[in-house]
Amino acid sequence: MVLTLGKGQLEDISFQLAVEVVGEILGITESDQQGKIRRIYNVLNASISKAKNTLLSKFWLNFRRVVHTGIFFWYDVRPAIKARKLQPKDDAISTYLQEGYSNTAIIIECLTYGSAGMLTTREFIIMCSWYMLEDENLRAQFLAGDDKTQLAILMEILRLEPIANKVLRKLDEPVEGLSEQTLPAGEKYDIDIRNINIDENFVGECPFAIDPERATKQKDTGRFYSFGDGPHGCPGWQVALHETRIFLTHFLAVPGIRMEREPDIIWNDMVHGYELRNAIVACD
Ligand code: HEM
């Protein structure tokens, strides 16, 4: 669709890929592709939008959320549930059915995976493309690298430009030694991923440089804090990295590929992260 015209909007390309990959994991595979992407876009867009501080605006946003969730359920989730009841597959919806989840519980899971896995990967692919279309040396290093080097470069870009900027945690027990006073149990804290990821004590020297060897030097996987950590750490981190790596290996090798219009950077308070919009890529 995109390359036949010689140019395309990068967020459309990356979102389509992210929807297909997470859709396969969930088992949302029984509906038409373009319609599914449009419906998922509408439901997720409504769920991460913020209403103005008026009753009418709040009502309108809630109305949009309910309607788009209903449409998504009817055209995409319901057919998938029906198909998996007849013939289970190796996907999440089949597992939810085996475990007796209700329709409501299944749609909540689908929306959680949608915002956690589709929206994040959409931005990640755009950010990595931007970095590498701007920097010829980095792009050459990426294209010439083996899988390990390619993944290391992607993780370094994510370290500097984390999609999720903070995670929230509640203390189970009092913690001593972090500040003058003991931090009491039950207290909630924001963990600032962007700052942790550039802390020399954690990531080593020259924290603002992209260094594919950093993970080895620091004896880390290279994900640092970009995907969170602990029991609620991101379960899809390897999926996100691999799909991005495979896509970029082909995309960046297209002859004459270039960024015709750089993205606008928008801050989204609802997801505590950035969104990159209106980037146009073109090729000869
Ligand atoms: C570059 C892409 C991605 C980034 C930056 C990202 C980042 C994160 C972060 C920071 C968290 C919170 C972790 C915490 O609280 O410690 C998270 C949670 C989560 N992620 Fe990802 N993620 C990405 C892709 C994905 C993908 C592809 C999937 C699904 C296949 C996914 C599924 C989830 C789920 C389900 C959670 C909630 C886990 C829980 O609360 O137990 N993510 N992600």
Side-chain angles (χ1 to χ4, degrees):
M1 174 184 77
V2 171
L3 294 179
T4 49
L5 297 170
K7 63 169 73 177
Q9 190 135 318
L10 194 46
E11 75 217 45
D12 293 343
I13 305 172
S14 63
F15 190 56
Q16 176 161 347
L17 175 64
V19 166
E20 282 306 313
V21 171
V22 179
E24 281 280 331
I25 293 171
L26 285 168
I28 305 178
T29 51
E30 306 303 311
S31 37
D32 69 301
Q33 193 190 49
Q34 290 308 318
K36 175 175 69 182
I37 293 168
R38 199 180 53 247
R39 289 185 289 274
I40 292 183
Y41 173 83
N42 287 336
V43 70
L44 294 181
N45 194 37
S47 72
I48 61 161
S49 297
K50 202 172 181 179
K52 291 195 190 112
N53 207 9
T54 64
L55 266 182
L56 185 64
S57 173
K58 285 176 187 162
F59 171 79
W60 176 237
L61 182 58
N62 278 334
F63 177 75
R64 276 173 53 211
R65 284 179 181 157
V66 172
V67 169
H68 288 308
T69 305
I71 294 174
F72 171 54
F73 175 76
W74 190 259
Y75 287 102
D76 302 293
V77 182
R78 192 185 56 106
I81 291 177
K82 211 168 146 191
R84 296 305 182 273
K85 274 185 179 162
L86 289 173
Q87 196 175 4
K89 284 194 178 169
D90 187 13
D91 54 34
I93 289 186
S94 303
T95 311
Y96 299 146
L97 289 172
Q98 276 158 21
E99 292 181 5
Y101 280 39
S102 65
N103 284 351
T104 312
I106 293 179
I107 195 150
I108 290 172
E109 287 296 329
C110 291
L111 293 178
T112 306
Y113 269 81
S115 23
M118 295 172 188
L119 298 180
T120 46
T121 311
R122 170 175 68 182
E123 307 311 328
F124 183 45
I125 290 174
I126 303 173
M127 185 53 94
C128 293
S129 305
W130 193 11
Y131 260 72
M132 287 194 262
L133 289 173
E134 291 273 287
D135 182 340
E136 252 179 55
N137 289 337
L138 185 62
R139 178 164 137 200
Q141 197 185 358
F142 179 83
L143 288 175
D146 58 11
D147 294 9
K148 199 169 160 259
T149 308
Q150 291 188 325
L151 291 172
I153 292 174
L154 298 183
M155 284 191 279
E156 278 290 275
I157 297 175
L158 186 61
R159 182 179 63 78
L160 293 173
E161 313 287 355
I163 317 287
N165 274 261
K166 63 178 184 182
V167 288
L168 298 172
R169 288 291 187 270
K170 195 160 110 185
L171 290 186
D172 283 341
E173 46 192 63
V175 173
E176 286 176 11
L178 283 183
S179 68
E180 282 176 15
Q181 289 164 345
T182 303
L183 308 177
E187 199 78 4
K188 286 186 187 152
Y189 290 94
D190 285 351
I191 299 178
D192 183 341
I193 296 179
R194 187 170 281 271
N195 264 322
I196 293 179
N197 273 356
I198 50 167
D199 181 344
E200 285 195 31
N201 295 321
F202 183 40
V203 302
E205 60 188 18
C206 303
F208 294 102
I210 292 189
D211 176 4
E213 299 299 320
R214 183 182 303 279
T216 316
K217 286 185 221 157
Q218 291 301 111
K219 298 191 173 52
D220 191 283
T221 54
R223 47 181 273 185
F224 294 102
Y225 215 82
S226 313
F227 293 99
D229 201 6
H232 287 286
C234 178
W237 71 284
Q238 295 188 343
V239 173
L241 287 170
H242 282 288
E243 69 179 287
T244 304
R245 188 190 71 73
I246 293 166
F247 170 75
L248 288 178
T249 306
H250 296 284
F251 172 71
L252 295 173
V254 171
I257 192 78
R258 61 186 179 277
M259 184 73 87
E260 196 167 275
R261 185 192 184 284
E262 291 190 350
D264 304 317
I265 306 177
I266 301 166
W267 184 258
N268 186 325
D269 270 343
M270 289 289 284
V271 294
H272 308 294
Y274 61 80
E275 292 175 354
L276 301 171
R277 291 292 157 272
N278 305 316
I280 306 284
V281 287
C283 66
D284 300 324

